[in-house]
Short mmCIF file of all heavy atoms in Angstrom, two decimals:
data_model
loop_
_atom_site.label_atom_id
_atom_site.label_comp_id
_atom_site.label_asym_id
_atom_site.label_seq_id
_atom_site.Cartn_x
_atom_site.Cartn_y
_atom_site.Cartn_z
N MET V 1291 0.84 -1.16 0.00
CA MET V 1291 0.00 0.00 0.00
C MET V 1291 0.89 1.23 0.00
O MET V 1291 1.88 1.29 0.69
CB MET V 1291 -0.89 -0.02 1.24
CG MET V 1291 -1.74 1.20 1.38
SD MET V 1291 -2.88 1.13 2.76
CE MET V 1291 -3.97 -0.13 2.17
N ASN V 1292 0.52 2.21 -0.76
CA ASN V 1292 1.30 3.44 -0.84
C ASN V 1292 0.93 4.35 0.32
O ASN V 1292 -0.22 4.68 0.52
CB ASN V 1292 1.04 4.16 -2.16
CG ASN V 1292 1.57 3.39 -3.34
OD1 ASN V 1292 2.52 2.64 -3.19
ND2 ASN V 1292 0.96 3.55 -4.49
N GLN V 1293 1.95 4.75 1.04
CA GLN V 1293 1.74 5.68 2.16
C GLN V 1293 1.71 7.09 1.61
O GLN V 1293 2.54 7.46 0.78
CB GLN V 1293 2.85 5.54 3.18
CG GLN V 1293 2.65 6.49 4.33
CD GLN V 1293 3.86 6.61 5.21
OE1 GLN V 1293 4.96 6.30 4.78
NE2 GLN V 1293 3.66 7.06 6.43
N PRO V 1294 0.73 7.91 2.05
CA PRO V 1294 0.73 9.31 1.64
C PRO V 1294 2.00 9.98 2.14
O PRO V 1294 2.43 9.76 3.25
CB PRO V 1294 -0.50 9.89 2.32
CG PRO V 1294 -1.26 8.75 2.87
CD PRO V 1294 -0.35 7.58 2.93
N ARG V 1295 2.61 10.81 1.30
CA ARG V 1295 3.85 11.48 1.68
C ARG V 1295 3.61 12.91 2.13
O ARG V 1295 4.43 13.48 2.83
CB ARG V 1295 4.82 11.46 0.51
CG ARG V 1295 5.22 10.07 0.09
CD ARG V 1295 6.27 10.11 -1.01
NE ARG V 1295 6.50 8.80 -1.56
CZ ARG V 1295 7.30 7.89 -1.04
NH1 ARG V 1295 7.95 8.16 0.06
NH2 ARG V 1295 7.45 6.72 -1.59
N ASP V 1296 2.51 13.46 1.74
CA ASP V 1296 2.18 14.84 2.09
C ASP V 1296 1.87 14.93 3.59
O ASP V 1296 0.98 14.25 4.09
CB ASP V 1296 0.98 15.30 1.27
CG ASP V 1296 0.56 16.72 1.57
OD1 ASP V 1296 1.42 17.50 2.05
OD2 ASP V 1296 -0.61 17.05 1.33
N PRO V 1297 2.60 15.78 4.32
CA PRO V 1297 2.36 15.90 5.77
C PRO V 1297 0.92 16.33 6.10
O PRO V 1297 0.36 15.90 7.10
CB PRO V 1297 3.35 16.96 6.23
CG PRO V 1297 4.39 17.03 5.16
CD PRO V 1297 3.73 16.59 3.90
N LEU V 1298 0.33 17.15 5.24
CA LEU V 1298 -1.05 17.57 5.49
C LEU V 1298 -2.01 16.39 5.35
O LEU V 1298 -2.96 16.26 6.13
CB LEU V 1298 -1.44 18.69 4.53
CG LEU V 1298 -0.73 20.03 4.73
CD1 LEU V 1298 -1.12 21.02 3.65
CD2 LEU V 1298 -1.03 20.57 6.11
N GLU V 1299 -1.76 15.53 4.39
CA GLU V 1299 -2.59 14.35 4.20
C GLU V 1299 -2.42 13.37 5.37
O GLU V 1299 -3.38 12.79 5.85
CB GLU V 1299 -2.25 13.66 2.88
CG GLU V 1299 -3.06 12.42 2.58
CD GLU V 1299 -4.55 12.66 2.39
OE1 GLU V 1299 -4.97 13.82 2.25
OE2 GLU V 1299 -5.30 11.67 2.38
N LEU V 1300 -1.19 13.22 5.83
CA LEU V 1300 -0.94 12.36 6.99
C LEU V 1300 -1.68 12.88 8.22
O LEU V 1300 -2.27 12.11 8.98
CB LEU V 1300 0.56 12.27 7.27
CG LEU V 1300 1.40 11.50 6.25
CD1 LEU V 1300 2.88 11.66 6.56
CD2 LEU V 1300 1.01 10.03 6.25
N ALA V 1301 -1.64 14.18 8.42
CA ALA V 1301 -2.33 14.79 9.56
C ALA V 1301 -3.84 14.63 9.43
O ALA V 1301 -4.53 14.34 10.42
CB ALA V 1301 -1.97 16.27 9.66
N ARG V 1302 -4.35 14.77 8.20
CA ARG V 1302 -5.78 14.59 7.97
C ARG V 1302 -6.21 13.16 8.28
O ARG V 1302 -7.24 12.93 8.93
CB ARG V 1302 -6.14 14.94 6.53
CG ARG V 1302 -7.64 14.96 6.25
CD ARG V 1302 -7.97 15.10 4.78
NE ARG V 1302 -7.63 13.92 4.02
CZ ARG V 1302 -8.35 12.77 4.02
NH1 ARG V 1302 -9.41 12.67 4.77
NH2 ARG V 1302 -7.99 11.75 3.29
N LEU V 1303 -5.41 12.20 7.85
CA LEU V 1303 -5.72 10.80 8.11
C LEU V 1303 -5.66 10.49 9.61
O LEU V 1303 -6.49 9.76 10.14
CB LEU V 1303 -4.78 9.89 7.34
CG LEU V 1303 -5.02 9.82 5.83
CD1 LEU V 1303 -3.92 9.00 5.16
CD2 LEU V 1303 -6.38 9.24 5.51
N ALA V 1304 -4.67 11.06 10.29
CA ALA V 1304 -4.55 10.84 11.73
C ALA V 1304 -5.76 11.42 12.47
O ALA V 1304 -6.29 10.80 13.40
CB ALA V 1304 -3.26 11.46 12.25
N ARG V 1305 -6.21 12.61 12.06
CA ARG V 1305 -7.41 13.20 12.67
C ARG V 1305 -8.64 12.34 12.40
O ARG V 1305 -9.50 12.16 13.26
CB ARG V 1305 -7.64 14.62 12.13
CG ARG V 1305 -6.80 15.67 12.79
CD ARG V 1305 -7.26 17.08 12.43
NE ARG V 1305 -7.46 17.30 11.01
CZ ARG V 1305 -6.51 17.67 10.15
NH1 ARG V 1305 -5.27 17.87 10.57
NH2 ARG V 1305 -6.78 17.86 8.88
N ARG V 1306 -8.71 11.80 11.18
CA ARG V 1306 -9.85 10.95 10.81
C ARG V 1306 -9.89 9.69 11.68
O ARG V 1306 -10.97 9.26 12.09
CB ARG V 1306 -9.77 10.59 9.32
CG ARG V 1306 -10.92 9.78 8.83
CD ARG V 1306 -12.21 10.58 8.83
NE ARG V 1306 -13.27 9.75 8.33
CZ ARG V 1306 -14.51 9.76 8.78
NH1 ARG V 1306 -14.86 10.63 9.69
NH2 ARG V 1306 -15.42 8.95 8.31
N VAL V 1307 -8.74 9.12 11.96
CA VAL V 1307 -8.69 7.94 12.84
C VAL V 1307 -9.23 8.29 14.22
O VAL V 1307 -9.99 7.53 14.81
CB VAL V 1307 -7.26 7.36 12.93
CG1 VAL V 1307 -7.13 6.35 14.05
CG2 VAL V 1307 -6.85 6.73 11.61
N VAL V 1308 -8.85 9.45 14.73
CA VAL V 1308 -9.34 9.88 16.04
C VAL V 1308 -10.86 10.04 16.01
O VAL V 1308 -11.56 9.59 16.92
CB VAL V 1308 -8.66 11.20 16.48
CG1 VAL V 1308 -9.32 11.78 17.72
CG2 VAL V 1308 -7.18 10.98 16.71
N GLU V 1309 -11.39 10.64 14.95
CA GLU V 1309 -12.84 10.81 14.81
C GLU V 1309 -13.55 9.46 14.76
O GLU V 1309 -14.58 9.26 15.41
CB GLU V 1309 -13.17 11.61 13.55
CG GLU V 1309 -12.73 13.05 13.58
CD GLU V 1309 -12.81 13.70 12.20
OE1 GLU V 1309 -13.22 13.03 11.22
OE2 GLU V 1309 -12.46 14.89 12.10
N LEU V 1310 -13.00 8.54 13.98
CA LEU V 1310 -13.61 7.22 13.85
C LEU V 1310 -13.56 6.45 15.16
O LEU V 1310 -14.52 5.78 15.53
CB LEU V 1310 -12.91 6.41 12.74
CG LEU V 1310 -13.11 6.92 11.32
CD1 LEU V 1310 -12.23 6.14 10.35
CD2 LEU V 1310 -14.57 6.84 10.90
N ARG V 1311 -12.45 6.57 15.89
CA ARG V 1311 -12.34 5.90 17.19
C ARG V 1311 -13.37 6.46 18.19
O ARG V 1311 -13.95 5.72 18.97
CB ARG V 1311 -10.94 6.05 17.76
CG ARG V 1311 -9.92 5.16 17.10
CD ARG V 1311 -8.58 5.28 17.84
NE ARG V 1311 -7.56 4.55 17.15
CZ ARG V 1311 -7.34 3.24 17.30
NH1 ARG V 1311 -8.09 2.55 18.11
NH2 ARG V 1311 -6.36 2.65 16.63
N THR V 1312 -13.59 7.76 18.13
CA THR V 1312 -14.57 8.39 19.00
C THR V 1312 -15.97 7.89 18.68
O THR V 1312 -16.74 7.52 19.58
CB THR V 1312 -14.52 9.92 18.87
OG1 THR V 1312 -13.20 10.37 19.22
CG2 THR V 1312 -15.55 10.60 19.75
N GLU V 1313 -16.29 7.84 17.39
CA GLU V 1313 -17.61 7.33 16.99
C GLU V 1313 -17.76 5.86 17.38
O GLU V 1313 -18.82 5.44 17.85
CB GLU V 1313 -17.80 7.49 15.48
CG GLU V 1313 -19.19 7.10 15.02
CD GLU V 1313 -19.43 7.32 13.53
OE1 GLU V 1313 -18.59 7.94 12.86
OE2 GLU V 1313 -20.47 6.83 13.05
N HIS V 1314 -16.70 5.07 17.22
CA HIS V 1314 -16.71 3.66 17.58
C HIS V 1314 -16.99 3.50 19.08
O HIS V 1314 -17.81 2.67 19.50
CB HIS V 1314 -15.37 3.03 17.20
CG HIS V 1314 -15.30 1.56 17.31
ND1 HIS V 1314 -14.90 0.93 18.46
CD2 HIS V 1314 -15.58 0.58 16.42
CE1 HIS V 1314 -14.92 -0.38 18.27
NE2 HIS V 1314 -15.34 -0.62 17.04
N ARG V 1315 -16.32 4.30 19.90
CA ARG V 1315 -16.51 4.25 21.35
C ARG V 1315 -17.93 4.68 21.72
O ARG V 1315 -18.56 4.08 22.60
CB ARG V 1315 -15.47 5.15 22.03
CG ARG V 1315 -15.49 5.06 23.54
CD ARG V 1315 -14.43 5.93 24.20
NE ARG V 1315 -14.47 7.31 23.76
CZ ARG V 1315 -13.53 7.90 23.01
NH1 ARG V 1315 -12.46 7.25 22.63
NH2 ARG V 1315 -13.65 9.17 22.66
N ASP V 1316 -18.45 5.72 21.04
CA ASP V 1316 -19.81 6.17 21.31
C ASP V 1316 -20.83 5.08 20.96
O ASP V 1316 -21.84 4.92 21.66
CB ASP V 1316 -20.12 7.45 20.54
CG ASP V 1316 -19.33 8.65 21.03
OD1 ASP V 1316 -18.75 8.58 22.15
OD2 ASP V 1316 -19.28 9.66 20.30
N LEU V 1317 -20.57 4.36 19.90
CA LEU V 1317 -21.46 3.27 19.52
C LEU V 1317 -21.46 2.16 20.57
O LEU V 1317 -22.49 1.53 20.81
CB LEU V 1317 -21.07 2.69 18.15
CG LEU V 1317 -21.58 3.46 16.94
CD1 LEU V 1317 -21.01 2.85 15.66
CD2 LEU V 1317 -23.08 3.47 16.88
N ASP V 1318 -20.31 1.93 21.19
CA ASP V 1318 -20.24 0.96 22.28
C ASP V 1318 -21.26 1.30 23.36
O ASP V 1318 -22.01 0.43 23.82
CB ASP V 1318 -18.84 0.95 22.92
CG ASP V 1318 -17.90 -0.06 22.30
OD1 ASP V 1318 -18.39 -1.04 21.71
OD2 ASP V 1318 -16.69 0.13 22.43
N GLY V 1319 -21.28 2.55 23.76
CA GLY V 1319 -22.22 2.98 24.78
C GLY V 1319 -23.66 2.86 24.34
O GLY V 1319 -24.53 2.40 25.10
N ALA V 1320 -23.93 3.25 23.10
CA ALA V 1320 -25.29 3.17 22.58
C ALA V 1320 -25.76 1.71 22.50
O ALA V 1320 -26.90 1.40 22.84
CB ALA V 1320 -25.36 3.83 21.21
N ILE V 1321 -24.87 0.84 22.07
CA ILE V 1321 -25.21 -0.58 21.98
C ILE V 1321 -25.47 -1.15 23.37
O ILE V 1321 -26.43 -1.90 23.57
CB ILE V 1321 -24.11 -1.36 21.23
CG1 ILE V 1321 -24.12 -0.98 19.75
CG2 ILE V 1321 -24.26 -2.86 21.41
CD1 ILE V 1321 -22.92 -1.48 18.96
N ASP V 1322 -24.63 -0.81 24.32
CA ASP V 1322 -24.82 -1.29 25.69
C ASP V 1322 -26.16 -0.84 26.25
O ASP V 1322 -26.88 -1.62 26.88
CB ASP V 1322 -23.70 -0.81 26.61
CG ASP V 1322 -22.37 -1.50 26.33
OD1 ASP V 1322 -22.38 -2.57 25.68
OD2 ASP V 1322 -21.33 -0.97 26.76
N ARG V 1323 -26.51 0.44 26.04
CA ARG V 1323 -27.79 0.95 26.54
C ARG V 1323 -28.96 0.25 25.87
O ARG V 1323 -29.95 -0.09 26.51
CB ARG V 1323 -27.87 2.46 26.32
CG ARG V 1323 -27.02 3.25 27.28
CD ARG V 1323 -27.28 4.75 27.18
NE ARG V 1323 -27.03 5.28 25.84
CZ ARG V 1323 -25.85 5.68 25.38
NH1 ARG V 1323 -24.78 5.60 26.15
NH2 ARG V 1323 -25.73 6.17 24.16
N LEU V 1324 -28.85 0.02 24.56
CA LEU V 1324 -29.93 -0.63 23.83
C LEU V 1324 -30.09 -2.08 24.26
O LEU V 1324 -31.21 -2.58 24.38
CB LEU V 1324 -29.67 -0.53 22.32
CG LEU V 1324 -30.85 -0.68 21.39
CD1 LEU V 1324 -31.95 0.30 21.74
CD2 LEU V 1324 -30.42 -0.46 19.95
N GLN V 1325 -28.98 -2.76 24.51
CA GLN V 1325 -29.04 -4.16 24.94
C GLN V 1325 -29.64 -4.28 26.34
O GLN V 1325 -30.25 -5.29 26.67
CB GLN V 1325 -27.66 -4.80 24.91
CG GLN V 1325 -27.19 -5.11 23.51
CD GLN V 1325 -25.77 -5.67 23.47
OE1 GLN V 1325 -24.95 -5.37 24.32
NE2 GLN V 1325 -25.50 -6.49 22.46
N ALA V 1326 -29.47 -3.26 27.16
CA ALA V 1326 -30.01 -3.28 28.52
C ALA V 1326 -31.53 -3.10 28.52
O ALA V 1326 -32.20 -3.50 29.47
CB ALA V 1326 -29.35 -2.20 29.36
N ASP V 1327 -32.06 -2.53 27.45
CA ASP V 1327 -33.50 -2.29 27.34
C ASP V 1327 -34.18 -3.57 26.83
O ASP V 1327 -33.88 -4.06 25.75
CB ASP V 1327 -33.76 -1.13 26.38
CG ASP V 1327 -35.23 -0.77 26.27
OD1 ASP V 1327 -36.06 -1.36 26.99
OD2 ASP V 1327 -35.54 0.11 25.44
N ILE V 1328 -35.09 -4.09 27.63
CA ILE V 1328 -35.77 -5.33 27.27
C ILE V 1328 -36.61 -5.15 26.00
O ILE V 1328 -36.74 -6.08 25.20
CB ILE V 1328 -36.66 -5.81 28.44
CG1 ILE V 1328 -35.77 -6.19 29.61
CG2 ILE V 1328 -37.56 -6.97 28.03
CD1 ILE V 1328 -36.51 -6.53 30.87
N GLN V 1329 -37.13 -3.97 25.79
CA GLN V 1329 -37.97 -3.71 24.63
C GLN V 1329 -37.17 -3.11 23.47
O GLN V 1329 -37.72 -2.44 22.62
CB GLN V 1329 -39.11 -2.76 25.02
CG GLN V 1329 -40.03 -3.32 26.06
CD GLN V 1329 -41.08 -2.32 26.49
OE1 GLN V 1329 -40.94 -1.12 26.26
NE2 GLN V 1329 -42.12 -2.81 27.12
N ALA V 1330 -35.89 -3.40 23.44
CA ALA V 1330 -35.01 -2.81 22.43
C ALA V 1330 -35.39 -3.28 21.03
O ALA V 1330 -35.84 -4.41 20.82
CB ALA V 1330 -33.57 -3.18 22.72
N ASP V 1331 -35.20 -2.40 20.10
CA ASP V 1331 -35.44 -2.69 18.68
C ASP V 1331 -34.25 -3.50 18.15
O ASP V 1331 -33.14 -2.99 18.04
CB ASP V 1331 -35.59 -1.37 17.93
CG ASP V 1331 -35.86 -1.55 16.45
OD1 ASP V 1331 -36.01 -2.70 15.99
OD2 ASP V 1331 -35.93 -0.52 15.75
N GLU V 1332 -34.49 -4.76 17.84
CA GLU V 1332 -33.41 -5.64 17.39
C GLU V 1332 -32.80 -5.16 16.07
O GLU V 1332 -31.59 -5.28 15.87
CB GLU V 1332 -33.92 -7.08 17.23
CG GLU V 1332 -34.19 -7.77 18.55
CD GLU V 1332 -32.95 -7.91 19.40
OE1 GLU V 1332 -31.88 -8.26 18.87
OE2 GLU V 1332 -33.05 -7.67 20.62
N LEU V 1333 -33.62 -4.61 15.19
CA LEU V 1333 -33.10 -4.12 13.92
C LEU V 1333 -32.16 -2.94 14.14
O LEU V 1333 -31.08 -2.88 13.54
CB LEU V 1333 -34.24 -3.72 12.98
CG LEU V 1333 -33.84 -3.23 11.60
CD1 LEU V 1333 -33.03 -4.30 10.85
CD2 LEU V 1333 -35.07 -2.84 10.80
N ALA V 1334 -32.54 -2.05 15.02
CA ALA V 1334 -31.67 -0.91 15.34
C ALA V 1334 -30.37 -1.39 15.95
O ALA V 1334 -29.29 -0.86 15.62
CB ALA V 1334 -32.39 0.05 16.28
N LEU V 1335 -30.44 -2.38 16.80
CA LEU V 1335 -29.25 -2.93 17.44
C LEU V 1335 -28.31 -3.55 16.39
O LEU V 1335 -27.11 -3.32 16.41
CB LEU V 1335 -29.65 -3.97 18.49
CG LEU V 1335 -28.56 -4.54 19.36
CD1 LEU V 1335 -27.85 -3.43 20.13
CD2 LEU V 1335 -29.13 -5.56 20.32
N LYS V 1336 -28.87 -4.28 15.46
CA LYS V 1336 -28.07 -4.89 14.39
C LYS V 1336 -27.41 -3.82 13.53
O LYS V 1336 -26.26 -3.96 13.12
CB LYS V 1336 -28.93 -5.81 13.53
CG LYS V 1336 -29.28 -7.11 14.20
CD LYS V 1336 -30.11 -7.99 13.30
CE LYS V 1336 -30.50 -9.27 14.02
NZ LYS V 1336 -31.27 -10.17 13.17
N ARG V 1337 -28.15 -2.75 13.26
CA ARG V 1337 -27.59 -1.66 12.45
C ARG V 1337 -26.43 -0.98 13.17
O ARG V 1337 -25.42 -0.64 12.54
CB ARG V 1337 -28.68 -0.66 12.09
CG ARG V 1337 -29.63 -1.17 11.05
CD ARG V 1337 -30.69 -0.16 10.72
NE ARG V 1337 -31.55 -0.69 9.66
CZ ARG V 1337 -32.75 -0.22 9.39
NH1 ARG V 1337 -33.26 0.78 10.09
NH2 ARG V 1337 -33.46 -0.76 8.43
N LEU V 1338 -26.59 -0.76 14.47
CA LEU V 1338 -25.50 -0.15 15.23
C LEU V 1338 -24.26 -1.04 15.24
O LEU V 1338 -23.13 -0.57 15.09
CB LEU V 1338 -25.95 0.14 16.66
CG LEU V 1338 -26.96 1.26 16.85
CD1 LEU V 1338 -27.38 1.36 18.32
CD2 LEU V 1338 -26.42 2.60 16.37
N LYS V 1339 -24.47 -2.33 15.41
CA LYS V 1339 -23.34 -3.27 15.42
C LYS V 1339 -22.66 -3.32 14.05
O LYS V 1339 -21.43 -3.38 13.96
CB LYS V 1339 -23.81 -4.66 15.83
CG LYS V 1339 -24.15 -4.76 17.30
CD LYS V 1339 -24.58 -6.16 17.68
CE LYS V 1339 -24.85 -6.29 19.16
NZ LYS V 1339 -25.22 -7.67 19.53
N LYS V 1340 -23.45 -3.26 12.99
CA LYS V 1340 -22.88 -3.27 11.64
C LYS V 1340 -22.06 -2.00 11.41
O LYS V 1340 -20.96 -2.05 10.86
CB LYS V 1340 -23.99 -3.38 10.60
CG LYS V 1340 -23.48 -3.48 9.19
CD LYS V 1340 -24.61 -3.70 8.21
CE LYS V 1340 -24.07 -3.82 6.81
NZ LYS V 1340 -25.13 -4.04 5.83
N ARG V 1341 -22.58 -0.86 11.85
CA ARG V 1341 -21.85 0.40 11.70
C ARG V 1341 -20.54 0.34 12.49
O ARG V 1341 -19.51 0.82 12.03
CB ARG V 1341 -22.73 1.56 12.19
CG ARG V 1341 -22.04 2.90 12.19
CD ARG V 1341 -21.67 3.36 10.81
NE ARG V 1341 -20.98 4.63 10.89
CZ ARG V 1341 -20.05 5.01 10.03
NH1 ARG V 1341 -19.73 4.26 9.00
NH2 ARG V 1341 -19.46 6.17 10.17
N LYS V 1342 -20.59 -0.25 13.67
CA LYS V 1342 -19.40 -0.37 14.50
C LYS V 1342 -18.33 -1.20 13.79
O LYS V 1342 -17.14 -0.85 13.80
CB LYS V 1342 -19.76 -0.99 15.85
CG LYS V 1342 -18.64 -1.02 16.83
CD LYS V 1342 -19.10 -1.60 18.15
CE LYS V 1342 -17.90 -1.91 19.00
NZ LYS V 1342 -18.24 -2.66 20.19
N LEU V 1343 -18.74 -2.29 13.14
CA LEU V 1343 -17.79 -3.11 12.38
C LEU V 1343 -17.22 -2.35 11.19
O LEU V 1343 -16.03 -2.47 10.87
CB LEU V 1343 -18.45 -4.40 11.91
CG LEU V 1343 -18.70 -5.44 12.98
CD1 LEU V 1343 -19.53 -6.59 12.43
CD2 LEU V 1343 -17.40 -5.95 13.56
N GLN V 1344 -18.06 -1.56 10.53
CA GLN V 1344 -17.58 -0.74 9.41
C GLN V 1344 -16.53 0.26 9.89
O GLN V 1344 -15.52 0.47 9.22
CB GLN V 1344 -18.75 0.00 8.75
CG GLN V 1344 -19.68 -0.89 7.98
CD GLN V 1344 -20.94 -0.15 7.53
OE1 GLN V 1344 -21.34 0.87 8.10
NE2 GLN V 1344 -21.57 -0.69 6.49
N LEU V 1345 -16.77 0.87 11.04
CA LEU V 1345 -15.81 1.82 11.59
C LEU V 1345 -14.49 1.13 11.90
O LEU V 1345 -13.42 1.66 11.62
CB LEU V 1345 -16.36 2.47 12.85
CG LEU V 1345 -17.52 3.44 12.66
CD1 LEU V 1345 -18.10 3.85 14.00
CD2 LEU V 1345 -17.07 4.66 11.88
N LYS V 1346 -14.58 -0.07 12.48
CA LYS V 1346 -13.38 -0.83 12.80
C LYS V 1346 -12.57 -1.11 11.54
O LYS V 1346 -11.33 -0.97 11.53
CB LYS V 1346 -13.76 -2.13 13.49
CG LYS V 1346 -12.60 -2.96 13.93
CD LYS V 1346 -13.08 -4.23 14.62
CE LYS V 1346 -11.91 -5.11 15.00
NZ LYS V 1346 -12.37 -6.36 15.61
N ASP V 1347 -13.25 -1.47 10.46
CA ASP V 1347 -12.56 -1.73 9.19
C ASP V 1347 -11.91 -0.46 8.63
O ASP V 1347 -10.79 -0.49 8.13
CB ASP V 1347 -13.53 -2.31 8.16
CG ASP V 1347 -13.94 -3.74 8.48
OD1 ASP V 1347 -13.27 -4.40 9.30
OD2 ASP V 1347 -14.95 -4.19 7.89
N GLN V 1348 -12.62 0.66 8.72
CA GLN V 1348 -12.07 1.93 8.23
C GLN V 1348 -10.84 2.33 9.03
O GLN V 1348 -9.85 2.79 8.46
CB GLN V 1348 -13.13 3.04 8.31
CG GLN V 1348 -14.21 2.93 7.28
CD GLN V 1348 -15.24 4.04 7.43
OE1 GLN V 1348 -15.35 4.68 8.48
NE2 GLN V 1348 -16.01 4.27 6.38
N ILE V 1349 -10.92 2.16 10.34
CA ILE V 1349 -9.79 2.50 11.21
C ILE V 1349 -8.58 1.65 10.82
O ILE V 1349 -7.47 2.16 10.67
CB ILE V 1349 -10.15 2.31 12.69
CG1 ILE V 1349 -11.17 3.36 13.12
CG2 ILE V 1349 -8.91 2.37 13.57
CD1 ILE V 1349 -11.83 3.07 14.47
N ALA V 1350 -8.80 0.36 10.65
CA ALA V 1350 -7.69 -0.55 10.29
C ALA V 1350 -7.10 -0.17 8.95
O ALA V 1350 -5.87 -0.16 8.78
CB ALA V 1350 -8.18 -1.99 10.27
N TRP V 1351 -7.93 0.19 7.98
CA TRP V 1351 -7.44 0.55 6.65
C TRP V 1351 -6.58 1.81 6.71
O TRP V 1351 -5.50 1.86 6.13
CB TRP V 1351 -8.62 0.74 5.69
CG TRP V 1351 -8.18 0.92 4.29
CD1 TRP V 1351 -7.97 -0.05 3.36
CD2 TRP V 1351 -7.86 2.16 3.64
NE1 TRP V 1351 -7.55 0.51 2.19
CE2 TRP V 1351 -7.48 1.86 2.32
CE3 TRP V 1351 -7.87 3.49 4.05
CZ2 TRP V 1351 -7.10 2.85 1.41
CZ3 TRP V 1351 -7.50 4.46 3.14
CH2 TRP V 1351 -7.12 4.14 1.85
N ILE V 1352 -7.07 2.82 7.42
CA ILE V 1352 -6.32 4.08 7.52
C ILE V 1352 -5.02 3.87 8.27
O ILE V 1352 -3.96 4.38 7.87
CB ILE V 1352 -7.18 5.18 8.17
CG1 ILE V 1352 -8.35 5.55 7.25
CG2 ILE V 1352 -6.33 6.42 8.45
CD1 ILE V 1352 -9.36 6.48 7.90
N GLU V 1353 -5.07 3.13 9.38
CA GLU V 1353 -3.85 2.88 10.13
C GLU V 1353 -2.84 2.13 9.29
O GLU V 1353 -1.63 2.39 9.37
CB GLU V 1353 -4.16 2.11 11.41
CG GLU V 1353 -4.81 2.98 12.47
CD GLU V 1353 -5.19 2.23 13.72
OE1 GLU V 1353 -5.33 0.98 13.68
OE2 GLU V 1353 -5.35 2.88 14.76
N ASN V 1354 -3.29 1.21 8.47
CA ASN V 1354 -2.41 0.48 7.57
C ASN V 1354 -1.78 1.44 6.54
O ASN V 1354 -0.61 1.30 6.20
CB ASN V 1354 -3.16 -0.65 6.87
CG ASN V 1354 -2.24 -1.60 6.16
OD1 ASN V 1354 -1.11 -1.82 6.59
ND2 ASN V 1354 -2.72 -2.17 5.08
N ALA V 1355 -2.56 2.40 6.09
CA ALA V 1355 -2.05 3.38 5.12
C ALA V 1355 -1.00 4.29 5.76
O ALA V 1355 -0.12 4.82 5.07
CB ALA V 1355 -3.20 4.22 4.57
N LEU V 1356 -1.08 4.47 7.07
CA LEU V 1356 -0.15 5.36 7.75
C LEU V 1356 1.19 4.67 8.08
O LEU V 1356 2.16 5.34 8.42
CB LEU V 1356 -0.77 5.89 9.04
CG LEU V 1356 -1.93 6.87 8.84
CD1 LEU V 1356 -2.58 7.20 10.17
CD2 LEU V 1356 -1.47 8.13 8.15
N ILE V 1357 1.23 3.34 7.99
CA ILE V 1357 2.46 2.61 8.27
C ILE V 1357 3.38 2.75 7.06
O ILE V 1357 3.00 2.42 5.95
CB ILE V 1357 2.17 1.12 8.55
CG1 ILE V 1357 1.32 0.98 9.80
CG2 ILE V 1357 3.47 0.34 8.69
CD1 ILE V 1357 0.80 -0.42 10.04
N PRO V 1358 4.60 3.20 7.27
CA PRO V 1358 5.51 3.37 6.13
C PRO V 1358 5.90 2.03 5.53
O PRO V 1358 6.05 1.03 6.23
CB PRO V 1358 6.72 4.07 6.73
CG PRO V 1358 6.62 3.90 8.20
CD PRO V 1358 5.19 3.59 8.53
N ASP V 1359 5.98 2.02 4.20
CA ASP V 1359 6.43 0.82 3.50
C ASP V 1359 7.93 0.65 3.71
O ASP V 1359 8.68 1.61 3.60
CB ASP V 1359 6.14 0.93 1.99
CG ASP V 1359 4.65 0.90 1.69
OD1 ASP V 1359 3.91 0.31 2.49
OD2 ASP V 1359 4.25 1.47 0.66
N GLU V 1360 8.33 -0.58 4.02
CA GLU V 1360 9.75 -0.85 4.19
C GLU V 1360 10.20 -1.75 3.04
O GLU V 1360 9.53 -2.69 2.68
CB GLU V 1360 10.00 -1.56 5.52
CG GLU V 1360 9.69 -0.68 6.71
CD GLU V 1360 10.00 -1.38 8.02
OE1 GLU V 1360 10.80 -2.34 8.01
OE2 GLU V 1360 9.46 -0.96 9.03
N PRO V 1361 11.37 -1.43 2.47
CA PRO V 1361 11.85 -2.28 1.39
C PRO V 1361 12.20 -3.67 1.92
O PRO V 1361 12.67 -3.84 3.05
CB PRO V 1361 13.10 -1.56 0.89
CG PRO V 1361 13.43 -0.55 1.93
CD PRO V 1361 12.22 -0.33 2.77
N ALA V 1362 11.94 -4.66 1.10
CA ALA V 1362 12.20 -6.05 1.49
C ALA V 1362 13.69 -6.35 1.47
O ALA V 1362 14.48 -5.77 0.86
CB ALA V 1362 11.48 -7.00 0.57
#
């Protein structure tokens, strides 16, 4: 994977990871609250969990892009 070389792009990606981690953590709380509710909407719960997995994938992809390529 090609690592961005522009310092501004690297900073933008690093900020994006922080934003995604914050949203991921917030979803944890929302999911916990929804699971505690006996009358919880199962579809809403599934959607929140799916979004959380998507965020995890995005975070992993960006973090991978930020790792410098090393010659073999």
Side-chain angles (χ1 to χ4, degrees):
M1291 176 175 292
N1292 293 332
Q1293 180 192 21
R1295 298 184 189 277
D1296 180 24
L1298 292 175
E1299 180 65 12
L1300 290 172
R1302 187 189 70 76
L1303 288 174
R1305 279 192 311 273
R1306 183 68 179 143
V1307 167
V1308 170
E1309 292 168 1
L1310 292 173
R1311 284 186 186 276
T1312 301
E1313 185 177 351
H1314 189 269
R1315 186 178 53 248
D1316 291 345
L1317 278 175
D1318 268 337
I1321 290 169
D1322 289 342
R1323 285 188 301 275
L1324 201 55
Q1325 285 177 331
D1327 183 4
I1328 294 173
Q1329 298 176 342
D1331 181 3
E1332 288 298 317
L1333 181 59
L1335 187 59
K1336 286 181 183 181
R1337 286 180 178 162
L1338 289 176
K1339 288 181 177 182
K1340 184 175 181 180
R1341 175 65 182 149
K1342 186 178 167 189
L1343 287 172
Q1344 290 171 337
L1345 290 172
K1346 183 179 177 183
D1347 289 343
Q1348 287 179 341
I1349 291 167
W1351 188 88
I1352 293 172
E1353 286 177 339
N1354 192 32
L1356 291 173
I1357 297 171
D1359 292 333
E1360 294 183 21

